[in-house]
Amino acid sequence: MGDERGRCAVTVGGRPYELNPSGGEVILPGHGSKIHHDPSCTHLTDSGTLPRHPDRDGLLWRRLLDAADPAAYAHSIDLRNGQNRLVTGVCSCALRPVAESHAETLPYWPIDDALRVFDRDRHQAAVEAADRDAEAIRAAFPWEDWPKLSLDRYALGQPDAPGQVYSHALEFGSKALGSITGGTAKKHLVYRQNNGAWWYDKRYADVTEAWEEVRAGIVAAVEAARQGRVRDIDDLPAVRSGITVIAKTLRIYAPEATLPVYADSFTQHCLDRLAPGSAARLQPFARKELLKSLVDQDPRFEGWPPQLVWYFLDWWAPVRRSAARVVKIGTGSLAEHWPAFLDVGLIAVHGDRVGDLHRYADLDEFQAAYAEAYALDGTPPHRLAAQAAELWQLLDLRLGDRVVAAQGRSEVLAVGKVVGGGYAWRPEFGETPHTVAVEWDESCAGTLAQPVADWGVRTVSEVPSGLWKRIQALADARLPAHLSGMADEIARDAADEEIPPLDDGLQRIDDALERRGQAVLFGPPGTGKTYHALRYAVRRLGELSEDLSAVDPLAEPGSKEFAATLEALTRSGRLTTVTFHPSYGYEDFVEGLRPVKGDSGFSLEPVPGVFKRVCANAEADPGQLYLMIVDELNRGDLPRILGELVTVLEKDKRGLPVTLPLTGETFRVPPNVRLLGTMNTADRSIRMLDSAIRRRFTFLELLPDSGPLMGRQVGELHLADFLDELNRRIRTHLDREKQIGHAFLLPDGEAVSTPAEFAAVIRGEILPLLQEYAYDDYTLLAAFLGEELVDPVAHTLRDVGDEKLLSLLYDELQVGAGGR
């Protein structure tokens, strides 16, 4: 079953999939809860004849995904498995997760199919809400007032009544119109900074001239749009850098001129789906004009308001990797208020001294204000900066993002979805005025078996995929006892774990690899370069490998599931890990002559190297991502190892032929191969790499991060403070590339907790590294660790016990450095 000619790409939940059409009917499992399109699917372990269900238009998969209540929809069409239980999901034999490089080679899901199943009525309320927001702004800022609108009525940063400011209403007071939040306030072209100074383009003599030019540019942009000349906005220099602000302003004052697609990248994305290649050389507003004209000329959209067209496009072909974020917000001392929060649907956070987050242009400005407001509390500056960054995350929460309400280090109170406008400043809440509207669900309430260390010290923190899996498992623990003995497939389907988006660190790696094809993680020793590379492999390859057993993309590092996933991915050939060293050569990596035993003895024959074998596997399996991790990349002679592949590694040259000198074979690097290297900068700076190599890799720096050590102590010594102060001294006397990574104090992923463990790390790993850095200069070593531990005259380290070592370092690097 399934029609090869009908296979296409589709984006669901921010991820690319390959759709295998059903062929007119779906297969229902004997005891699972997902529809199947392929009778040979390995997930169909049932014996005997399986039930079928008609699927004449081939869209049952989408109707299930879009149903507000999948169980109710399944009941309405009598979609049941062999045990008469409702079937509510879609198997990977129907929607197969694939690499983006493969999705781009497939035709996209036909728009006619999408229009047949799109529920216009479901979006009507949202269209009406958007129209109300636009009307409210027009009433508060009538168009006829704009030619003389005052700066204090326009610009962000006004001390009073932010709701009376146009930029505030545009960015924060009209969520139904679509969001333009994020980034900095510079997109508004002129704004008042928190220190009272005005920011504006320095080509203007002063803020008065800047505002007059910006205001005239906004008026000219709207007038051009009203006259059908949207592309002329590209020629208005005063507003050229404010694309999203101008685009949303057009939605309010010239609503029929464009679609409410604000970011230029989104406009380009829509055009790529509707008319590939049509807008490659156009400027931003010319693209918006073209997109609107394509819609206007399409009879399928006749009578559709522009807002509804945008909802359709964003549903049919959304920008990828737009899945919901998951963050934890701790209730802390507010535990007694939790029932009220649960009842009214919100979460509240401390921070009354800094005011509404909307007042601040960007994180830097907010961190400075936060540090000033809480400076007298005795909190070290680096802690204040971290606390401000946590609080700032509330602004980034969007509709549908997940919030885990937690108490202490292990208690989950509820999990919810962000609703309404998300963040809101509510001064009536006293010391906890920073609030987020959340629709709560207590099904995951419970106590985690293993506490989360940073939950005790961070109010707002990102929830990594492994932790999210543990939180979701709490719901399974609440199932009735008679369900606990079900088969593995039933349990898996019942959990139906939602895979969250990549965390920020892994997303940076993914973006770099998608953009260039190869990237290097570089930084000082102990910053987790290999750790992050393996985490990326498990998470990214794991979510694309539903066909492999023992693969868990949400497995936590250090767990047996993590090791099993790495083993399965390696065994399948989708993950290959090598380590470069001085004797590693081209013949190991690409191809070389090796002695091969035959009937008449040994002879030298060409043998493919490890990278050539990876490329052969990838070429035979274009839907899958193939990743090679190269540890210690800079220890090898890269020009010699890579040879002629330096050219064809580039993303835009993938698939082009190159002739291998040994065999004369034509060789290509497939587009679904990724190369991820790690590099220790204490050994060799990236500046020492061959320039041709540097140009073809993206370099991502990993620096020491004391965050995982927050709240962890050994005796009186705060590990985070110890690491921060030690690295401050290293940066002062040496450079940032020779800092000490946090991983030294996190053996096996857990922070050292006893004086003996701490002393073993200091003596066995950190001290030898510092001695190497100091080149036996004990005066320099004493500057790092203090003269109570290092004798700069006798050029020796004082012989002290574990407890004494801890005490000396506490006195020197925490108390002596001004820490608490």
Side-chain angles (χ1 to χ4, degrees):
M1 187 163 299
D3 180 1
E4 288 289 339
R5 293 170 299 174
R7 290 178 184 266
C8 58
V10 63
T11 303
V12 179
R15 302 167 64 201
Y17 291 83
E18 180 181 71
L19 171 64
N20 173 30
S22 68
E25 62 179 4
V26 299
I27 306 163
L28 304 178
H31 57 261
S33 63
K34 295 180 179 179
I35 63 170
H36 296 258
H37 289 183
D38 185 351
S40 63
C41 177
T42 57
H43 296 141
L44 284 171
T45 57
D46 317 274
S47 59
T49 303
L50 295 172
R52 309 288 175 115
H53 191 279
D55 184 25
R56 292 182 178 86
D57 63 3
L59 295 171
L60 181 56
W61 66 274
R62 188 78 216 204
R63 292 188 175 96
L64 272 175
L65 292 179
D66 286 347
D69 184 345
Y73 175 71
H75 177 76
S76 71
I77 63 171
D78 199 30
L79 195 66
R80 297 176 183 273
N81 66 14
Q83 296 182 337
N84 204 36
R85 293 193 179 94
L86 295 173
V87 175
T88 57
V90 181
C91 181
S92 59
C93 70
L95 277 181
R96 176 194 176 199
V98 294
E100 289 194 35
S101 57
H102 179 63
E104 294 301 328
T105 68
L106 297 170
Y108 196 75
W109 182 41
I111 192 171
D112 285 331
D113 284 356
L115 285 165
R116 275 198 293 272
V117 76
F118 179 67
D119 188 350
R120 293 178 58 175
D121 294 338
R122 193 168 169 181
H123 293 82
Q124 187 56 40
V127 172
E128 293 170 358
D131 288 341
R132 286 194 298 272
D133 273 4
E135 180 55 38
I137 293 179
R138 286 193 294 267
F141 304 90
W143 182 244
E144 56 269 21
D145 292 352
W146 266 91
K148 295 189 179 299
L149 190 72
S150 63
L151 178 59
D152 61 355
R153 288 276 285 148
Y154 172 81
L156 284 177
Q158 306 301 313
D160 301 314
Q164 301 303 310
V165 172
Y166 179 76
S167 293
H168 186 280
L170 198 68
E171 185 162 2
F172 306 113
S174 53
K175 295 291 180 69
L177 286 172
S179 175
I180 61 169
T181 57
T184 76
K186 292 179 180 179
K187 61 177 170 282
H188 291 284
L189 305 169
V190 57
Y191 70 92
R192 191 174 187 178
Q193 300 173 97
N194 195 55
N195 61 8
W198 287 98
W199 183 91
Y200 51 88
D201 193 315
K202 296 310 175 189
R203 62 183 165 176
Y204 302 120
D206 52 35
V207 69
T208 300
E209 180 186 351
W211 170 233
E212 288 175 353
E213 291 294 326
V214 167
R215 180 178 60 197
I218 294 173
V219 170
V222 173
E223 293 295 348
R226 288 180 166 185
Q227 296 167 18
R229 298 181 291 104
V230 172
R231 65 176 56 231
D232 288 356
I233 299 172
D234 290 316
D235 297 325
L236 299 174
V239 296
R240 189 175 291 143
S241 61
I243 295 172
T244 58
V245 166
I246 298 303
K248 193 168 182 179
T249 296
L250 297 186
R251 168 61 182 90
I252 296 165
Y253 295 105
E256 297 299 320
T258 61
L259 297 184
V261 185
Y262 305 138
D264 185 45
S265 59
F266 289 3
T267 309
Q268 180 67 64
H269 172 77
C270 292
L271 286 169
D272 287 343
R273 288 285 174 251
L274 292 172
S278 62
R281 298 186 178 182
L282 295 180
Q283 294 190 60
F285 284 93
R287 274 194 279 269
K288 295 183 189 301
E289 183 177 279
L290 175 60
L291 178 61
K292 183 61 162 58
S293 68
L294 288 174
V295 170
D296 288 344
Q297 294 164 18
D298 192 329
R300 293 171 296 190
F301 294 110
E302 185 175 355
W304 287 45
Q307 192 79 34
L308 183 61
V309 175
W310 163 239
Y311 290 148
F312 169 77
L313 294 176
D314 191 42
W315 167 86
W316 168 57
V319 175
R320 290 173 186 155
R321 292 195 300 274
S322 59
R325 294 180 60 207
V326 185
V327 299
K328 163 263 177 184
I329 300 181
T331 57
S333 60
L334 304 174
E336 69 274 15
H337 299 297
W338 170 245
F341 292 162
L342 186 65
D343 186 53
V344 299
L346 57 79
I347 189 83
V349 179
H350 283 282
D352 58 306
R353 302 181 200 172
V354 291
D356 191 342
L357 297 183
H358 293 144
R359 291 173 46 196
Y360 301 93
D362 52 33
L363 175 59
D364 290 340
E365 187 175 297
F366 177 64
Q367 284 180 315
Y370 191 94
E372 182 178 353
Y374 291 93
L376 298 181
D377 288 4
T379 304
H382 70 274
R383 293 271 186 89
L384 290 175
Q387 290 170 3
E390 290 174 36
L391 189 54
W392 188 255
Q393 290 184 66
L394 300 183
L395 271 183
D396 292 331
L397 292 176
R398 300 286 183 268
L399 187 70
D401 283 347
R402 304 305 172 89
V403 174
V404 177
Q407 175 68 27
R409 296 176 186 265
S410 57
E411 186 177 357
V412 175
L413 301 173
V415 174
K417 292 184 179 181
V418 175
V419 295
Y423 170 81
W425 165 259
R426 301 175 190 267
E428 66 271 20
F429 277 56
E431 294 183 351
T432 58
H434 302 285
T435 68
V436 178
V438 182
E439 184 180 89
W440 294 112
D441 177 359
E442 294 182 278
S443 62
C444 288
T447 302
L448 295 169
Q450 181 179 356
V452 183
D454 72 351
W455 279 17
V457 292
R458 291 186 179 184
T459 301
V460 184
S461 60
E462 199 155 357
V463 175
S465 56
L467 177 56
W468 179 234
K469 178 184 176 183
R470 290 166 54 197
I471 292 169
Q472 289 182 302
L474 292 174
D476 297 338
R478 297 163 67 97
L479 290 172
H482 71 278
L483 296 179
S484 61
M486 285 186 172
D488 289 344
E489 184 177 351
I490 301 174
R492 182 177 65 246
D493 287 344
D496 200 18
E497 290 168 348
E498 177 183 347
I499 296 182
L502 299 173
D503 62 43
D504 289 343
L506 297 189
Q507 188 63 62
R508 286 178 62 218
I509 297 173
D510 195 56
D511 289 342
L513 290 175
E514 285 298 322
R515 187 173 64 253
R516 298 297 299 276
Q518 46 277 334
V520 175
L521 305 179
F522 74 99
T527 49
K529 296 176 287 295
T530 303
Y531 167 83
H532 284 293
L534 294 176
R535 277 184 64 222
Y536 175 78
V538 166
R539 179 66 172 78
R540 191 72 177 92
L541 297 182
E543 68 179 348
L544 295 173
S545 300
E546 294 184 1
D547 58 317
L548 299 180
S549 60
V551 168
D552 181 358
L554 304 185
E556 295 188 79
S559 67
K560 62 180 182 181
E561 294 82 7
F562 191 86
T565 299
L566 287 174
E567 174 66 27
L569 292 172
T570 301
R571 193 167 51 247
S572 71
R574 296 171 187 175
L575 171 65
T576 302
T577 303
V578 298
T579 301
F580 281 1
H581 48 78
S583 61
Y584 201 94
Y586 178 90
E587 58 276 10
D588 303 298
F589 195 68
V590 184
E591 65 176 9
L593 294 175
R594 289 285 188 268
V596 176
K597 187 175 182 179
D599 295 337
S600 58
F602 285 93
S603 61
L604 290 177
E605 295 183 12
V607 174
V610 60
F611 186 68
K612 189 177 179 183
R613 295 195 297 270
V614 168
C615 290
N617 291 334
E619 191 170 26
D621 185 13
Q624 184 54 248
L625 203 62
Y626 280 73
L627 176 67
M628 172 175 275
I629 295 176
V630 181
D631 222 3
E632 304 287 356
L633 182 81
N634 54 325
R635 293 190 65 226
D637 184 347
L638 292 182
R640 177 175 174 267
I641 292 171
L642 296 177
E644 65 280 342
L645 298 191
V646 167
T647 299
V648 293
L649 276 177
E650 292 189 70
K651 190 72 180 293
D652 62 347
K653 295 180 177 61
R654 293 293 180 91
L656 294 181
V658 62
T659 301
L660 299 180
L662 179 62
T663 60
E665 290 182 12
T666 297
F667 176 72
R668 294 174 174 82
V669 179
N672 56 325
V673 171
R674 302 288 182 268
L675 192 62
L676 181 59
T678 70
M679 178 175 162
N680 191 337
T681 52
D683 297 333
R684 185 184 183 192
S685 168
I686 64 172
R687 293 186 296 272
M688 303 296 291
L689 292 180
D690 181 89
S691 59
I693 303 293
R694 288 204 311 269
R695 288 197 303 269
R696 287 166 171 83
F697 283 79
T698 294
F699 288 84
L700 304 175
E701 187 173 30
L702 297 181
L703 291 173
D705 176 14
S706 61
L709 299 170
M710 294 286 282
R712 299 301 190 96
Q713 291 183 225
V714 179
E716 291 299 310
L717 180 69
H718 293 263
L719 293 179
D721 292 346
F722 163 77
L723 185 67
D724 286 338
E725 175 59 20
L726 177 58
N727 281 328
R728 186 195 66 79
R729 296 183 179 194
I730 293 172
R731 291 194 304 271
T732 299
H733 294 283
L734 294 174
D735 57 60
R736 66 202 301 265
E737 294 182 344
K738 290 184 171 57
Q739 296 179 84
I740 300 298
H742 48 279
F744 284 111
L745 299 171
L746 292 161
D748 299 321
E750 290 295 324
V752 294
S753 57
T754 67
E757 291 176 345
F758 178 77
V761 170
I762 295 297
R763 293 194 184 98
E765 300 175 49
I766 293 179
L767 260 175
L769 197 57
L770 293 177
Q771 287 176 296
E772 180 185 337
Y773 290 166
Y775 295 102
D776 291 328
D777 180 348
Y778 280 77
T779 300
L780 179 57
L781 199 59
F784 295 150
L785 300 173
E787 293 188 9
E788 293 297 317
L789 183 59
V790 179
D791 186 338
V793 177
H795 287 207
T796 61
L797 301 174
R798 303 188 195 280
D799 188 12
V800 296
D802 296 347
E803 296 280 358
K804 182 65 173 177
L805 175 67
L806 179 67
S807 176
L808 291 175
L809 290 175
Y810 169 71
D811 291 343
E812 174 68 23
L813 287 137
Q814 189 165 336
V815 175
R820 293 189 299 168

